[in-house]
Amino acid sequence: MELVRTLEVSGTEIVELPVHHYARQYGRSQFFRVRSLAVTFLQLCAVFYRLVVAPAIAGTESSDRNGPARFSRRQAALVAFSVLELSILAYGRALSLPFISDDYLQIKLARDYGSISNWGALAHDALYRCRATSLVLTYWLDGAIGLTPLYYNLASLLLHVVDSLLVFALGMWRPVGWRVAGLAACFFAVSQRHSEAVVWFSAVPELLVFFFVVGCFLFWIRWLNTRSAPILTYAGALGCYLLALLSKESEVAVVPLCVLAVLVHPARPLRKLWGMAPFALIAGAYFGLDYAARQTHLHFNDGTFSLSAPFVETLLRSMGGLLWVWGFVSLLVLFTKTARPWRPLLMLAAVWMAVTLLPYSFLTYMPRVPSRHTYMASVGLSFIVAAGMLAFRQYARRWNRVWPVPLPACLIV
């Protein structure tokens, strides 16, 4: 049925509009068909991507004399919300997991060493004094909530969210930038490569050493970017480093990472390399104390680690396993002629992965580094995937197509 409706304004006939009425089928208008709703939903998603997500990925160039361009508050809030949502989506299911045997050992050690009165005994334990922060955290949780696995799992998940936000904070590092850091934080939050560190509470030292190492690195970057070199920023880096010493042996990776930051800095402030001297001396003393206690140190006697292990083979195999699958897909995109501007970031990411995996590559019970020990190295993988997505976005612009851009992100999630 077709009617003609005439519009009149102040008695003057303006235009005639045809009005179509469709016959109802099964008591419902044709407008409410599933296909129409699906098309409408996709159109709304496209509008949301164009108006909200795309500007957040592109970033707004705001000048900062002491650092690179940064996201606006709205864009930073969008990244933070995405990190929280993706972390819950990936690891929320793990909140219902029960304790395993190692978790009970962790709680037993926390009861033995966690209180202030027992910190002297903890200092004499060559192995567990390197995990003091996790034992103190477990002691606090045990005293507050007892043996309820949900809260221990929730603590691990919250630490993972905070660590993912620290990956976003790495955008203040000039070679990375905020666009790469925003996407890298989202990938780091949802990635399954390091899942063991998040879902297994006994692996909480990995989360804590990551927090303090990246915190130290961020303070160091800030110290490099300021001309006056304020003592408080340097003290913050040193304080985080000392707490990292009490979290896990892999904290020694912060020394070469900070040296790398000096070497790739645009101003090349080589004089500030002297600022690494206290860090290197402390790391040497730290290793010397552990080696002096090798007769009682568990890992020197149970065959877990050995200086004669084939660490090069283990390192290369672990890096290959960490890159699979999305890392290799991103490398295929980035090793094209048009993606050459991303090559320095790829080298940076490769060095980050190698440096952070090396302390774990001397193990003897596996041919590759376990999942929980790849947590810090996953930052390098996240940089590669983020750069690959941005390069793919450049290709989509040339094709004048918008819809392929969110597709890789949806596949990853």
Side-chain angles (χ1 to χ4, degrees):
M1 181 184 296
E2 181 173 316
L3 301 177
V4 177
R5 177 174 297 173
T6 303
L7 300 180
E8 294 185 2
V9 179
S10 301
T12 304
E13 187 177 274
I14 303 300
V15 68
E16 292 184 350
L17 299 174
V19 181
H20 300 278
H21 291 276
Y22 297 94
R24 294 176 180 269
Q25 293 184 1
Y26 308 108
R28 180 175 297 177
S29 171
Q30 291 295 306
F31 176 77
F32 292 100
R33 292 182 301 177
V34 173
R35 185 176 63 182
S36 299
L37 289 175
V39 171
T40 303
F41 175 74
L42 292 176
Q43 291 174 343
L44 290 174
C45 290
V47 172
F48 178 78
Y49 172 80
R50 186 170 65 252
L51 298 181
V52 179
V53 179
I57 295 176
T60 53
E61 299 294 330
S62 58
S63 59
D64 185 356
R65 291 180 300 175
N66 295 325
R70 56 174 180 266
F71 274 8
S72 67
R73 291 183 179 179
R74 185 189 68 174
Q75 294 163 340
L78 177 62
V79 173
F81 176 78
S82 300
V83 164
L84 176 62
E85 186 178 21
L86 291 171
S87 298
I88 295 175
L89 180 64
Y91 295 109
R93 176 64 175 164
L95 294 176
S96 61
L97 291 176
F99 286 138
I100 62 174
S101 58
D102 286 3
D103 296 328
Y104 291 104
L105 175 61
Q106 174 81 5
I107 295 172
K108 172 64 168 58
L109 290 169
R111 292 177 177 179
D112 292 340
Y113 291 139
S115 64
I116 298 178
S117 60
N118 293 328
W119 285 3
L122 176 60
H124 287 86
D125 193 312
L127 175 60
Y128 290 106
R129 69 188 176 203
C130 302
R131 291 156 179 78
T133 56
S134 62
L135 293 179
V136 172
L137 174 62
T138 306
Y139 177 77
W140 289 344
L141 290 173
D142 181 42
I145 57 179
L147 296 176
T148 306
L150 171 63
Y151 297 103
Y152 292 82
N153 296 331
L154 183 61
S156 293
L157 181 57
L158 291 178
L159 279 173
H160 174 62
V161 172
V162 174
D163 289 344
S164 300
L165 293 177
L166 286 179
V167 176
F168 176 48
L170 286 172
M172 66 182 293
W173 193 14
R174 293 176 185 272
V176 176
W178 292 107
R179 287 191 300 165
V180 172
L183 290 174
C186 292
F187 177 81
F188 186 86
V190 79
S191 176
Q192 82 282 10
R193 304 306 300 173
H194 48 247
S195 58
E196 193 177 32
V198 185
V199 303
W200 181 21
F201 181 75
S202 295
V204 72
E206 302 294 338
L207 305 179
L208 290 171
V209 73
F210 181 96
F211 177 82
F212 293 119
V213 165
V214 178
C216 173
F217 186 76
L218 290 172
F219 275 116
W220 178 260
I221 294 297
R222 184 64 178 174
W223 185 69
L224 291 179
N225 291 336
T226 51
R227 297 178 180 178
S228 58
I231 189 63
L232 290 179
T233 307
Y234 184 83
L238 187 59
C240 287
Y241 179 67
L242 293 176
L243 290 172
L245 287 169
L246 300 175
S247 300
K248 198 71 184 292
E249 294 89 346
S250 56
E251 54 73 34
V252 295
V254 78
V255 176
L257 289 179
C258 290
V259 172
L260 175 67
V262 175
L263 297 179
V264 301
H265 195 279
R268 295 292 179 89
L270 298 181
R271 290 183 299 176
K272 290 192 174 183
L273 280 175
W274 287 106
M276 269 287 100
F279 293 78
L281 291 175
I282 293 173
Y286 181 82
F287 177 78
L289 288 174
D290 284 347
Y291 188 76
R294 62 186 181 278
Q295 299 298 331
T296 58
H297 197 293
L298 179 63
H299 289 335
F300 279 98
N301 295 281
D302 64 353
T304 301
F305 292 93
S306 174
L307 295 178
S308 60
F311 66 94
V312 175
E313 180 182 351
T314 302
L315 177 63
L316 295 177
R317 185 182 286 112
S318 300
M319 291 183 66
L322 186 60
L323 288 170
W324 186 262
V325 129
W326 298 115
F328 282 116
V329 172
S330 300
L331 289 176
L332 290 177
V333 176
L334 292 168
F335 276 109
T336 57
K337 293 182 179 179
T338 55
R340 286 181 179 177
W342 298 107
R343 302 289 173 82
L345 180 61
L346 293 183
M347 296 299 297
L348 193 88
V351 173
W352 183 291
M353 293 170 61
V355 167
T356 52
L357 283 174
L358 184 60
Y360 298 109
S361 298
F362 292 89
L363 54 83
T364 57
Y365 61 92
M366 285 181 63
R368 63 175 57 88
V369 174
S371 167
R372 63 186 181 276
H373 295 332
T374 64
Y375 192 75
M376 199 180 306
S378 291
V379 175
L381 170 64
S382 301
F383 290 159
I384 294 174
V385 174
M389 294 183 67
L390 290 173
F392 183 73
R393 181 172 177 266
Q394 294 174 350
Y395 293 131
R397 280 181 173 178
R398 294 181 181 179
W399 303 332
N400 292 323
R401 296 289 186 271
V402 177
W403 64 268
V405 178
L407 185 60
C410 294
L411 290 175
I412 289 173
V413 174

